[in-house]
Amino acid sequence: MVAWKGRVLADDAALKVLAGTTTSYPWVHNVVDDVGEHLVELLLRDPHQVPVAEVERAYSLCSDRARRGLLRLLALRGDDAGVEALTHLVGSDGPWDLLPVPSEDLLVPILSARSAGRLAVPLASVAWRRGWAQHCADMLFEIRLDGKLPVSDERLVAETLEPLLVDLVDSCNRAVVVRDSGSDVSRVDRRALDALLPTVALFPSAHAGRVLQRALGSADPRVSAMALSVMIRRNLPVAEDRVEIICRDPEARSILLRGLEEIEWHTSVPLLHGSAASVGEAALVSWLASDPQLGVAPDEIEFRESLPAPRAWGAGELRVYAFRLRSPHWSAERGWMIGAVGPFDPDAEFHPRRSENFAAFSLYAADYEDCIEGHVLAISDALVGERPDAAA
């Protein structure tokens, strides 16, 4: 099979390879490869070689990983026949219970097809499926910007997405942070909202307005920040006091700043919350709350000191903070711990500007274990050691 990769198969061989994807193969201990998936890979060089009807037939009979490959095969066709088949397989009228979790750019090649807009409604209908929110949002965004979405379908896409987003907002409102496990039960729903809200805002309808207002009023300030970022970018009216309230939460502040910095509108953030200390606090809390780190935001955080960045870290100033979490989190017994963020450009006149090699980092060392300078040097050494070029 390895010897065939990269070659264009004869037509009869291609059909036999496709048929092979529907066969059950024996399980082999310690072998994670999927034979059907590898067989599909042999067909990707020339996706037009096998008839669409045969691909659809095989789709219902092969493994989950092979189905993902067949969806990619149809997308690589980049033609109306591929769109037609994907509309059926992905849409709510097709075998949606067989839909695999997508890879990052699974269906992107089909965007070159003239009729790619026909996929918009089916994509909106499967955005609730596990792993599909980000991919559906990316595809719908491009279809809308390319002008391939029929006007008649704009309203239908918005109507399809609205109840999903309302449910996601309501789920975030009900969610609680589970401190004893160090996890945030609403993180998956927030990621889906983060992906879908900018896409929904592209549709000029009352549906988009209702969804954004619902998210803006969320009890979760992080969700509110997502909506606020989208509304500011779309020039939609937002009360100034709402901006102030959202910015009080460090994670929400980080989300808002990230969204507005992309369009250089971070000056819309109140000056108090746009200072270097507040921007640094937001960046550190966002990093600490990520899944690979604490999994939740610290219960308390304090700004301690500004220091020049060690030369190995980068040029500029660091902001150093102390933070702690309450029991029963695993880190509670350490008390106050130290983290650092930077470098910031010391020559920025009005608003903090990140310098090269900007990062937030902590070794979760207790405050009393060393002086501030000692903590920063240890953090810098560890951070530099993790850079991709460190081993070079």
Side-chain angles (χ1 to χ4, degrees):
M1 194 180 300
V2 174
W4 292 350
K5 282 189 177 181
R7 298 184 182 182
V8 176
L9 306 177
D11 290 347
D12 58 338
L15 284 172
K16 290 177 181 177
V17 167
L18 180 63
T21 65
T22 66
T23 302
S24 296
Y25 296 92
W27 175 80
V28 179
H29 182 62
N30 286 335
V31 176
V32 297
D33 289 355
D34 185 289
V35 176
E37 180 181 30
H38 287 309
L39 288 172
V40 174
E41 290 174 357
L42 299 177
L43 303 173
L44 299 182
R45 181 70 180 269
D46 185 1
H48 294 85
Q49 216 173 4
V50 287
V52 167
E54 291 300 315
V55 175
E56 291 192 69
R57 186 190 70 81
Y59 180 87
S60 298
L61 301 173
C62 62
S63 67
D64 189 75
R65 289 162 64 177
R67 285 197 297 273
R68 185 184 301 111
L70 291 179
L71 292 177
R72 179 69 174 180
L73 177 73
L74 292 170
L76 286 169
R77 292 179 63 95
D79 59 12
D80 293 347
V83 171
E84 181 71 25
L86 289 171
T87 299
H88 167 64
L89 295 178
V90 174
S92 56
D93 293 332
W96 60 268
D97 56 321
L98 298 179
L99 201 62
V101 176
S103 55
E104 184 177 356
D105 61 347
L106 181 66
L107 303 181
V108 169
I110 202 65
L111 292 173
S112 62
R114 293 173 301 175
S115 59
R118 293 187 55 199
L119 270 169
V121 176
L123 286 169
S125 69
V126 298
W128 61 273
R129 293 293 299 266
R130 183 172 69 92
W132 277 87
Q134 182 68 61
H135 193 47
C136 289
D138 293 342
M139 293 286 292
L140 289 169
F141 195 90
E142 293 300 323
I143 288 171
R144 180 68 174 78
L145 288 185
D146 289 346
K148 292 182 177 179
L149 180 63
V151 176
S152 58
D153 285 349
E154 287 188 0
R155 181 182 179 86
L156 186 53
V157 169
E159 289 177 346
T160 303
L161 288 176
E162 182 179 4
L164 167 61
L165 269 71
V166 168
D167 284 348
L168 290 172
V169 173
D170 290 346
S171 176
C172 290
N173 290 344
R174 294 190 300 268
V176 294
V177 175
V178 183
R179 295 286 183 181
D180 57 351
S181 66
S183 63
D184 181 351
V185 296
S186 67
R187 64 186 184 279
V188 174
D189 291 339
R190 287 203 315 276
R191 287 173 187 154
L193 281 169
D194 197 25
L196 290 167
L197 281 174
T199 299
V200 169
L202 287 177
F203 296 93
S205 70
H207 300 280
R210 286 198 295 267
V211 167
L212 288 171
Q213 288 296 334
R214 184 73 166 256
L216 183 66
S218 172
D220 187 333
R222 296 164 294 188
V223 173
S224 298
M226 294 173 191
L228 178 60
S229 175
V230 172
M231 294 176 74
I232 292 176
R233 292 163 69 105
R234 296 286 293 165
N235 290 318
L236 298 175
V238 180
E240 290 186 12
D241 61 337
R242 192 66 191 174
V243 181
E244 168 65 29
I245 292 171
I246 291 173
C247 284
R248 292 173 187 170
D249 182 90
E251 278 191 275
R253 191 188 318 142
S254 177
I255 292 169
L256 182 59
L257 286 168
R258 185 182 69 236
L260 299 183
E261 282 174 354
E262 294 174 1
I263 54 173
E264 297 186 353
W265 279 12
H266 52 287
T267 53
S268 301
V269 175
L271 186 58
L272 174 64
H273 299 295
S275 66
S278 291
V279 171
E281 178 190 70
L284 180 59
V285 170
S286 180
W287 182 81
L288 292 171
S290 64
D291 291 340
Q293 303 307 320
L294 297 176
V296 292
D299 293 301
E300 297 179 75
I301 184 167
E302 295 178 355
F303 173 65
R304 288 293 172 86
E305 197 171 335
S306 293
L307 293 174
R311 181 176 299 178
W313 187 332
E317 296 180 347
L318 299 181
R319 301 293 184 270
V320 184
Y321 301 82
F323 60 90
R324 64 179 177 181
L325 287 88
R326 290 189 290 268
S327 181
H329 195 275
W330 60 264
S331 67
E333 63 181 23
R334 301 189 184 184
W336 288 98
M337 296 169 282
I338 298 297
V341 184
F344 287 94
D345 183 354
D347 297 324
E349 295 185 24
F350 301 109
H351 292 273
R353 186 168 61 239
R354 300 180 179 190
S355 296
E356 188 177 359
N357 294 324
F358 183 92
F361 207 74
S362 175
L363 294 175
Y364 303 113
D367 186 8
Y368 62 81
E369 292 179 357
D370 205 341
C371 63
I372 292 293
E373 290 80 3
H375 280 296
V376 168
L377 285 174
I379 289 172
S380 177
D381 289 344
L383 177 61
V384 171
E386 288 193 1
R387 289 177 182 165
D389 58 350

